[in-house]
Amino acid sequence: MSRIRNLDLRLIALPLVRPFRTSFGEDTTKDAILLRLETDVAEGWGECVAGPEPGYSEEFNEEAWITLRDHIAPRILDSDISSEELADALAGVRGHPMAKATVEMALLDAELRAAGRSLAEHLGAERDRVACGVSVGITSTVEELLRQVEGYVSEGYQRIKLKIEPGTDVERVRAVREANPDMLLSVDANAAYAPEDVDVFRALDELELLMIEQPLFYEDLLQHAKLQREIRTPLCLDESIRSAADAAAAIELGACRIVNIKQGRVGGLLEAKRVHDVGLSAGVPVWCGGMLETGIGRAANLALAGLPGFTLPGDTSASRRYFREDLTDPFVLDEDGTMAVPAGPGLGVVPHADRVERATVRLERLGKN
Ligand code: OSB
Ligand code: MG
């Protein structure tokens, strides 16, 4: 057992190659908290998936920073708590899954680095390459959307996901479908619709979509179950699934037929694996979502996506889809639309110190020295 000596909290801002617009907002930079954790024997890195605004979920950077500094750090600093024991050690902090997941990622990275084992191996990954899709933001025109989609298709992405919102939906999706008749195509509403919008979903139901992601309010499993009974296209839940228990409930209720797994949303990689296990034993396909992560969080996502139940292409896109220069060596899409699962110890990546420095907006060191 090794002692957790200190934690560096860092807020970074990294320019995106193009603005990313969803039904809840637009980002032009990736603003994220990075955590560097140091034990007696190793260092580990974690990336928090919260953004600057509480638009996707309740958590946001300023709040996650305070949670990490004032409520999480005091419970683990100078202790020899392991990643397995972390959830219990943090049980006194309700909620805040994204903040908790950040520490778990860094602790796993440090432990596995010390042990010389990869995260993928530790989680039970069975693949060394994973199928990748791409999430396309809401554009100002349909022409621009078609142009972006064409670019991603030519790069080899195996599935295209279009962000939609009320008023920017059926017509756009139909245009993309007509230009790409055989493409695996899905849509993501980020909870922007109401049960009364059922006609939109009936129209989308004609477009041979792989899935419709999070159409309705994030706390409403019942309405998702009712909508799923009205259409053939599988519903996929993202925001609504915050734990393995949520996944089991949603599946049993018939609220979804596919689950998007994001380690940050469910409180960490270990719970993400349990969500995967629920899907696998119920015969429900899962896939790895994304939150525009830098190479640090991307490495963790790829390790997770190597598990056997991840049978659909993930939002695990290449570094160049997001950043001109990633914080790590770039993740590259192979021509066949797959990406390699990192095989080195821990996350298998280390951020470049100079790039991290340049992107840093704020730094706070916690613990001794
Ligand atoms: O709903 O999946 C989402 C990005 C930020 C917040 C929510 C979502 C997304 C994406 C992008 O769709 C996925 C990615 O490429 O990382
Ligand atoms: Mg989503």
Side-chain angles (χ1 to χ4, degrees):
M1 279 294 103
S2 62
R3 197 172 53 92
I4 299 172
R5 285 210 311 229
N6 48 58
L7 303 172
D8 285 356
L9 282 180
R10 203 182 270 275
L11 187 65
I12 57 118
L14 201 60
L16 293 169
V17 291
R18 52 167 58 128
F20 187 71
R21 188 153 89 81
T22 64
S23 63
F24 63 83
E26 182 175 75
D27 289 325
T28 53
T29 54
K30 172 63 182 170
D31 302 298
I33 297 172
L34 300 184
L35 177 77
R36 181 177 168 278
L37 175 152
E38 211 180 312
T39 72
D40 288 334
V41 294
E43 69 162 14
W45 285 85
E47 175 173 344
C48 182
V49 302
E53 304 276 341
Y56 168 80
S57 78
E58 296 89 335
E59 285 180 284
F60 60 100
N61 287 333
E62 293 302 327
E63 172 266 2
W65 186 283
I66 293 170
T67 304
L68 282 160
R69 184 190 61 197
D70 298 346
H71 301 283
I72 293 179
R75 287 174 160 82
I76 61 169
L77 271 171
D78 219 23
S79 81
D80 61 0
I81 289 164
S82 70
S83 54
E84 289 297 329
E85 298 163 336
L86 186 64
D88 279 348
L90 300 181
V93 181
R94 293 240 176 134
H96 303 284
M98 295 176 177
K100 290 175 179 173
T102 311
V103 177
E104 191 201 70
M105 188 188 298
L107 192 52
L108 278 165
D109 187 29
E111 288 172 352
L112 293 166
R113 222 171 262 287
R117 295 177 64 227
S118 73
L119 176 63
E121 183 187 343
H122 182 71
L123 294 175
E126 294 182 356
R127 278 186 281 267
D128 59 4
R129 304 196 66 83
V130 299
C132 299
V134 62
S135 173
V136 186
I138 299 169
T139 55
S140 50
T141 64
V142 67
E143 291 74 26
E144 172 63 12
L145 178 63
L146 288 166
R147 205 181 58 75
Q148 287 189 20
V149 168
E150 193 190 331
Y152 293 134
V153 169
S154 70
E155 285 179 53
Y157 286 105
Q158 297 190 22
R159 184 227 64 213
I160 300 285
K161 159 171 139 182
L162 307 178
K163 291 290 188 179
I164 57 168
E165 66 183 353
T168 312
D169 42 41
V170 180
E171 212 182 306
R172 292 278 180 105
V173 181
R174 188 179 294 126
V176 172
R177 172 48 89 207
E178 281 169 3
N180 303 271
D182 302 320
M183 185 75 207
L184 285 184
L185 186 63
S186 68
V187 296
D188 185 0
N190 289 110
Y193 292 83
E196 300 73 58
D197 298 318
V198 63
D199 286 347
V200 172
F201 299 106
R202 285 195 216 286
L204 291 171
D205 208 19
E206 302 299 312
L207 299 175
E208 303 299 328
L209 301 177
L210 178 63
M211 70 188 101
I212 297 174
E213 184 175 341
Q214 197 67 47
L216 308 176
F217 187 56
Y218 47 90
E219 288 183 339
D220 204 336
L221 291 182
L222 188 58
Q223 289 298 340
H224 281 98
K226 289 185 177 172
L227 176 59
Q228 181 66 92
R229 289 199 288 271
E230 299 294 319
I231 59 176
R232 298 179 297 142
T233 309
L235 295 185
C236 168
L237 291 176
D238 173 352
E239 285 91 326
S240 292
I241 307 297
R242 290 157 180 252
S243 62
D246 280 352
I251 291 167
E252 193 166 324
L253 271 170
C256 66
R257 294 183 189 152
I258 297 177
V259 176
N260 166 322
I261 301 184
K262 292 178 180 168
Q263 58 82 29
R265 191 192 68 225
V266 303
L269 290 154
L270 301 180
E271 184 70 8
K273 180 183 165 66
R274 291 189 282 269
V275 177
H276 158 272
D277 296 346
V278 167
L280 193 60
S281 69
V284 167
V286 305
W287 56 281
C288 186
M291 296 287 283
L292 314 178
E293 288 90 344
T294 78
I296 299 168
R298 191 160 308 282
N301 286 347
L302 287 162
L304 188 62
L307 271 66
F310 286 79
T311 53
L312 295 170
D315 279 347
T316 44
S317 312
S319 292
R320 58 170 286 188
R321 181 257 171 272
Y322 308 95
F323 311 111
R324 200 179 56 77
E325 185 180 68
D326 206 334
L327 297 178
T328 61
D329 286 345
F331 283 97
V332 179
L333 188 75
D334 198 79
E335 278 166 29
D336 67 356
T338 66
M339 217 146 48
V341 174
L347 290 171
V349 295
V350 191
H352 293 277
D354 56 330
R355 298 183 193 173
V356 170
E357 266 338 300
R358 252 181 283 136
T360 298
V361 177
R362 188 195 303 157
L363 171 64
E364 195 168 339
R365 302 208 79 189
L366 310 174
K368 301 216 174 76
N369 91 342

